[in-house]
Amino acid sequence: MHTVLGANGPIGEELAKELYRIFTRDIRLVSRNPAKIHDTDQLVKADLTDPEAAARAVEGSEVAYLTVGLPMDSELWERQFPVMMRNVIGACATYGTKLVFFDNTYMYPGTTTPQTESTRFEPNGRKGRVRAEIANTLLAAMAAGTVDAVICRAPEFYGPGKTKSLTNSLVFDRIKAGRRPFVPVSAKTVRSLIWTPDASRAMALIGNTPDAYGQTWHLPVDPHRLTYAELIGVAEEVTGRRIPYTVLPLAVFTVGGRFVGPLGEVEELLPRYRGDNVFDSSAFTRRFPDFAVTSYREGVTEILA
């Protein structure tokens, strides 16, 4: 049994599809309101902040994939993520279940220094501190031998369907709707974006590779990074029309965040948009050289065409 904890999001859904396609048809989908993707899926309703519910969700699983996402709400993150991580670690330890944790880069410093698996945690705000806390909790459990686990870390998303990210909502979703895209902070710095189906495929591969456990992996991105100006240029080629855009300076988020909650919630992430954001996934590429990474051009084409 392979169990996806947080099965309703784009990562969890694509993960379940990849597990079914390549590795197993014995899949359990867990969320507050799970829905079947395949006829054979087992559904379990669970609130992972409840230790008994987490235990029921994990029981009988060979591998559990923790892909739970929460709305961009710092207070909610502080209240729920650490509890969920402790409960899932405890459940996996009880049942001898391997744990694959889908992580992000919020705890990394917002500098132009390339990010590797050994990059030190230097969070710039409340959400980053929460992500550092839960990653460190799992790393400590791994070091103590409490749980056999692996961390799969990804940078900002872009992708098809219901993918949620600053890039999707401000740039690609607006282009699809025929509206002027907004570029956060700078159009001239290179971005490291991960195609959401690639993230899920890579996580399924790592979760089914025994020697990948016990460490952190940066999930694969197209190493030919583009700026927002270049990404919008690709969108112009795909759509066959000129696409003017507006750059939103940092002040828009700083001032707007005082009045509009969501703007304030993203402010701590904005330093990484001022300069080049280089997320290094070369370790994954060396270990899994046959993994086909979606290029930015292929991704933008699929989103818009």
Side-chain angles (χ1 to χ4, degrees), residues 38-95:
H38 316 100
D39 290 342
T40 56
D41 292 341
Q42 180 186 130
L43 302 183
V44 173
K45 290 187 177 183
D47 175 356
L48 297 181
T49 63
D50 176 351
E52 293 184 358
R56 289 195 302 271
V58 168
E59 184 178 6
S61 304
E62 177 186 355
V63 183
Y65 303 82
L66 181 55
T67 69
V68 173
L70 291 174
M72 291 286 277
D73 180 325
S74 296
E75 183 179 351
L76 184 67
W77 285 34
E78 291 165 345
R79 190 170 65 249
Q80 293 195 1
F81 268 140
V83 176
M84 283 192 284
M85 178 58 81
R86 291 193 298 269
N87 289 346
V88 170
I89 289 173
C92 288
T94 296
Y95 297 112

Side-chain angles (χ1 to χ4, degrees), residues 16-298:
K17 292 175 184 177
E18 183 71 3
L19 291 172
Y20 185 90
R21 187 174 72 88
I22 300 293
F23 299 105
T24 181
R25 300 202 167 180
D26 192 8
I27 297 171
R28 177 185 295 161
L29 304 181
V30 179
S31 71
R32 292 175 185 267
N33 293 290
K36 282 191 175 185
I37 299 172
H38 316 100
D39 290 342
T40 56
D41 292 341
Q42 180 186 130
L43 302 183
V44 173
K45 290 187 177 183
D47 175 356
L48 297 181
T49 63
D50 176 351
E52 293 184 358
R56 289 195 302 271
V58 168
E59 184 178 6
S61 304
E62 177 186 355
V63 183
Y65 303 82
L66 181 55
T67 69
V68 173
L70 291 174
M72 291 286 277
D73 180 325
S74 296
E75 183 179 351
L76 184 67
W77 285 34
E78 291 165 345
R79 190 170 65 249
Q80 293 195 1
F81 268 140
V83 176
M84 283 192 284
M85 178 58 81
R86 291 193 298 269
N87 289 346
V88 170
I89 289 173
C92 288
T94 296
Y95 297 112
T97 301
K98 293 181 177 180
L99 176 58
V100 181
F101 173 46
F102 182 72
D103 199 9
N104 67 26
T105 62
Y106 286 17
M107 75 293 288
Y108 283 166
T111 67
T112 59
T113 303
Q115 299 166 344
T116 70
E117 288 85 349
S118 60
T119 293
R120 291 173 59 88
F121 295 172
E122 296 179 17
N124 187 49
R126 294 170 68 183
K127 289 180 290 297
R129 287 191 287 273
V130 171
R131 299 303 302 197
E133 177 185 349
I134 62 176
N136 282 328
T137 296
L138 180 53
L139 288 168
M142 292 160 63
T146 304
V147 65
D148 190 10
V150 61
I151 296 175
C152 298
R153 187 164 291 143
E156 184 183 348
F157 300 163
Y158 82 115
K162 59 183 181 181
T163 298
K164 295 179 181 179
S165 70
L166 207 58
T167 294
N168 258 50
S169 62
L170 293 183
V171 180
F172 297 123
D173 289 351
R174 293 182 66 86
I175 292 173
K176 283 184 68 175
R179 303 167 69 189
R180 188 185 188 97
F182 294 140
V183 171
V185 184
S186 174
K188 298 181 180 179
T189 58
V190 298
R191 315 311 315 148
S192 291
L193 304 172
I194 192 163
W195 182 246
T196 48
D198 283 1
S200 298
R201 290 193 301 117
M203 186 162 48
L205 178 58
I206 288 172
N208 287 276
T209 302
D211 66 8
Y213 282 76
Q215 59 190 299
T216 298
W217 293 91
H218 275 189
L219 297 180
V221 299
D222 179 0
H224 304 100
R225 298 169 185 85
L226 302 178
T227 67
Y228 277 124
E230 290 168 335
L231 287 165
I232 292 171
V234 173
E236 290 180 326
E237 296 174 10
V238 171
T239 61
R241 60 185 173 89
R242 182 174 176 272
I243 303 175
Y245 59 86
T246 298
V247 176
L248 300 180
L250 189 59
V252 168
F253 295 90
T254 302
V255 175
R258 300 172 188 170
F259 308 99
V260 182
L263 288 179
E265 288 290 348
V266 303
E267 185 178 357
E268 72 176 84
L269 307 177
L270 297 178
R272 70 189 64 198
Y273 293 90
R274 290 189 299 216
D276 292 346
N277 176 237
V278 181
F279 178 86
D280 183 350
S281 56
S282 58
F284 179 94
T285 302
R286 289 193 298 271
R287 176 61 182 82
F288 303 101
D290 296 329
F291 187 94
V293 177
T294 302
S295 71
Y296 293 115
R297 182 170 295 275
E298 291 170 334

